[in-house]
């Protein structure tokens, strides 16, 4: 019988607290199945406190990469599955040893099938001897060995030695849906990633001010949403036509207040789209003090127009910390492409940094007669891109 390849998936016991365990695991299995839909993978199985992905050897590398991005998984190991017969196990262990550079090693044997004639310590000692016989320059080290070969003897036997740490978190979807205000910048994709890691399924809302922002700028946001979807599974991107509203604001409102008023309209529209799609919150990439509109007063005045909770996972982070995550998750290189952003085009010379709600509402007054109609129209004309 040919050796088969699997990915052993471990999920965190701690993160199960307070959540329904079965619901959590079933959702994780479902998300894994979705991620592996395009693979030749035969099966995703729940067994004894972990999940096993059966995979074709030719797709193992891609499979490991894909599995690493699924939230709720703490670590994975590529393993071979073989018959529970000692000569077969010996061969697999030797092959595992050949594939690594090491000077010290150990065997960690676990017998789960009591019908197997040797007990765990005996299996370990025996296989250790086999490795020593074939690799005469190596030594056994029980603590901190360079190579630890795990041999789990069950109905079939699993042999592996690599543990790949993953992102952890909660399975996407277990915390419900949220609308992520996704710009082409560095911050908002990171904010989306962080909330998805807590089990949120994001839908993305992008405000497009054509022709002030080009097709290329929109493509960039599409690309960012695609990268995010590698972590979240399918994502819908709502592209809101924002030109009319933005132009009107610049035309009718005091220059110093335009940034804040533009942001208030973004929040209103994002909330309307969220409510239409059963999303229970909004997510932004704001970080305290990073720009003029992100002071406490700025955040308060933009927050004042919405009733849904607004999640700002980057609020206490430095730019450098955000950049590190952006690099780590693969959005940074796309985010720094130099296409214009609708907020940077209309930046006032002296933006309000300590806006008071009363004055912003007064400044916004000329917009309000038409506001409801304009917002409805923007929502209606929103283009939905399925990614
Ligand atoms: P980012 O790097 O995410 O663009 P930023 O530091 O440039 O953020 P702002 O431009 O003030 O900050 O935007 C603050 C937040 O508002 C963004 O993180 C994003 O969530 C949202 N936002 C800004 N512009 C847009 C846009 N064109 N479409 C959708 N959301 C936007
Ligand atoms: Mg921005």
């Amino acid at each position: 019988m040919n050796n088969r390849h699997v990915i052993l998936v471990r999920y965190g016991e701690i993160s199960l607290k307070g959540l329904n365990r079965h619901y959590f695991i079933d959702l994780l299995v479902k998300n894994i199945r979705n991620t592996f839909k395009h693979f030749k993978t035969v099966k995703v199985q729940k067994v004894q406190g972990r999940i096993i992905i059966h995979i074709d050897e030719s797709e193992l590398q891609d499979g490991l990469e894909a599995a690493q991005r699924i939230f709720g998984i703490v670590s994975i190991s590529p393993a071979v599955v073989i018959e529970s017969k000692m000569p077969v196990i010996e061969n697999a262990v030797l092959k595992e040893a050949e594939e690594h550079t090491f000077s010290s090693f150990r065997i960690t044997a676990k017998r789960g099938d009591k019908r197997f004639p040797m007990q765990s310590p005996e299996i370990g000692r025996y296989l250790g001897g086999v490795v020593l016989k074939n690799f005469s320059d190596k030594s056994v080290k029980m603590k901190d060995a360079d190579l630890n070969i795990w041999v789990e003897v069950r109905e079939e036997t699993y042999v592996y030695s690599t543990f790949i740490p993953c992102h952890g978190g909660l399975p996407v979807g277990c915390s419900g849906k949220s609308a992520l205000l996704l710009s082409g910048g560095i911050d908002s994709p990171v904010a989306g990633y962080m909330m998805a890691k807590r089990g949120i399924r994001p839908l993305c809302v992008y405000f497009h001010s054509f022709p002030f922002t080009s097709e290329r700028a929109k493509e960039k946001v599409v690309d960012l949403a695609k990268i995010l979807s590698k972590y979240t599974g399918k994502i819908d991107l709502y592209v809101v036509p924002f030109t009319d509203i933005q132009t009107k604001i610049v035309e009718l409102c005091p220059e110093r207040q335009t940034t804040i008023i533009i942001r208030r309209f973004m929040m209103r529209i994002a909330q309307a789209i969220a409510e239409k799609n059963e999303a229970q919150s909004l997510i932004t990439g704001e970080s305290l003090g990073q720009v003029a509109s992100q002071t406490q007063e700025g955040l308060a005045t933009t927050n004042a127009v919405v009733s849904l909770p607004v999640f700002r996972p980057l609020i206490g982070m430095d730019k450098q910390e955000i950049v590190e995550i952006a690099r780590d998750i693969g959005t940074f290189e796309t985010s720094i492409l130099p296409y214009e952003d609708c907020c940077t085009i209309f930046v006032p010379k002296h933006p309000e940094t300590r806006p008071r709600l009363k004055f912003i509402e007064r400044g916004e007054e000329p917009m309000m007669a038409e506001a409801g109609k304009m917002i409805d129209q923007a929502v209606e004309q929103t283009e939905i891109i399925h990614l």
Side-chain angles (χ1 to χ4, degrees):
M1 198 170 76
N2 283 339
N3 296 350
R4 286 182 292 108
H5 291 263
V6 295
I7 299 173
L8 302 178
V9 172
R10 300 175 197 87
Y11 39 81
E13 294 297 320
I14 297 161
S15 51
L16 295 180
K17 272 189 197 156
L19 276 174
N20 181 315
R21 192 187 153 86
H22 292 290
Y23 168 69
F24 172 99
I25 297 166
D26 288 346
L27 184 59
L28 182 55
V29 168
K30 190 172 148 204
N31 290 350
I32 294 173
R33 288 204 174 113
N34 271 332
T35 304
F36 281 83
K37 228 175 18 211
H38 307 295
F39 285 65
K40 288 184 234 156
T41 306
V42 270
K43 236 182 347 183
V44 178
Q45 239 184 336
K46 252 189 322 184
V47 256
Q48 291 159 328
R50 64 187 179 193
I51 297 165
I52 297 179
I53 305 170
H54 298 260
I55 192 161
D56 195 86
E57 189 180 7
S58 64
E59 294 183 310
L60 185 60
Q61 277 317 314
D62 289 346
L64 289 169
E65 265 173 44
Q68 275 176 69
R69 288 190 290 256
I70 300 173
F71 294 127
I73 298 179
V74 170
S75 77
I76 53 175
S77 295
V80 287
V81 191
I82 49 177
E83 270 182 286
S84 291
K85 289 190 179 145
M86 199 36 108
V88 184
I89 298 174
E90 284 177 39
N91 279 338
V93 167
L94 289 175
K95 187 152 182 281
E96 191 69 35
E98 269 164 28
E99 281 168 9
H100 293 85
T101 353
F102 64 99
S103 37
S104 61
F105 77 99
R106 66 166 288 175
I107 307 284
T108 307
K110 292 224 182 307
R111 186 182 68 154
D113 184 349
K114 301 293 171 223
R115 290 171 307 178
F116 194 78
M118 294 159 99
Q119 294 189 358
S120 304
E122 205 184 338
I123 300 171
R125 273 197 305 274
Y126 177 77
L127 289 171
V130 170
V131 174
L132 281 175
K133 214 184 298 167
N134 284 270
F135 297 82
S136 51
D137 58 332
K138 315 293 185 198
S139 62
V140 174
K141 198 172 162 195
M142 294 314 277
K143 210 170 165 257
D144 299 325
D146 300 338
L147 179 67
N148 186 350
I149 301 177
W150 289 69
V151 179
E152 291 183 25
V153 183
R154 302 185 182 198
E155 198 171 326
E156 294 181 288
T157 294
Y158 297 82
V159 175
Y160 58 93
S161 62
T162 311
F163 285 72
I164 304 169
C166 301
H167 293 257
L170 301 172
V172 168
C174 78
S175 303
K177 257 206 241 178
S178 179
L180 164 68
L181 285 84
L182 182 66
S183 71
I186 294 170
D187 303 331
S188 42
V190 173
Y193 161 86
M194 287 177 71
M195 295 317 297
K197 190 173 164 178
R198 297 311 302 160
I200 290 272
R201 181 174 296 291
L203 60 90
C204 301
V205 183
Y206 165 60
F207 296 91
H208 188 45
S209 292
F210 188 79
F212 305 113
T213 48
S214 63
E215 268 310 296
R216 296 290 297 274
K218 174 176 149 188
E219 282 308 314
K220 177 176 158 180
V221 178
V222 170
D223 289 344
L224 287 170
K226 265 190 208 154
I227 299 172
L228 261 190
S229 75
K230 290 186 185 173
Y231 297 91
T232 61
K234 276 189 295 188
I235 273 193
D236 286 340
L237 172 63
Y238 291 72
V239 180
V240 182
F242 201 49
T243 319
D244 290 353
I245 292 179
Q246 205 164 6
T247 318
K248 265 260 152 58
I249 293 171
V250 172
E251 188 187 316
L252 300 179
C253 303
E255 194 198 341
R256 289 168 61 86
Q257 298 182 347
T258 52
T259 307
I260 295 284
I261 294 174
I262 286 169
R263 297 204 42 70
R264 280 161 63 91
F265 273 83
M266 283 186 182
M267 297 297 267
R268 290 177 173 116
I269 293 169
Q271 173 161 281
I273 291 174
E275 284 172 341
K276 221 174 137 179
N277 293 282
E278 285 105 40
Q280 298 153 287
S281 58
L282 306 179
I283 303 167
T284 75
E286 288 158 315
S287 161
L288 192 64
Q290 197 189 79
V291 289
S293 59
Q294 294 175 20
T295 57
Q296 287 213 68
E297 293 84 347
L299 294 170
T301 44
T302 48
N303 221 38
V305 295
V306 290
S307 55
L308 289 181
V310 181
F311 296 142
R312 300 181 175 89
L314 314 185
I315 199 71
M317 291 171 75
D318 290 349
K319 193 74 186 187
Q320 197 46 42
E321 295 172 294
I322 300 168
V323 165
E324 267 166 41
I325 300 177
R327 283 189 199 281
D328 194 42
I329 64 174
T331 52
F332 184 74
E333 296 301 328
T334 305
S335 287
I336 57 172
L337 293 174
Y339 309 126
E340 65 296 319
D341 172 21
C342 71
C343 296
T344 48
I345 293 167
F346 297 100
V347 182
K349 268 193 240 54
H350 303 287
E352 192 81 77
T353 56
R354 307 231 171 272
R356 300 246 311 270
L357 188 55
K358 198 169 66 180
F359 295 116
I360 293 294
E361 282 173 346
R362 196 176 298 159
E364 200 179 56
E365 194 42 48
M367 289 294 292
M368 293 325 280
E370 301 275 309
K373 212 171 80 195
M374 289 184 94
I375 290 169
D376 288 349
Q377 204 173 39
V379 173
E380 230 162 75
Q381 290 170 1
T382 289
E383 174 195 6
I384 306 172
I385 304 174
H386 304 289
L387 297 167

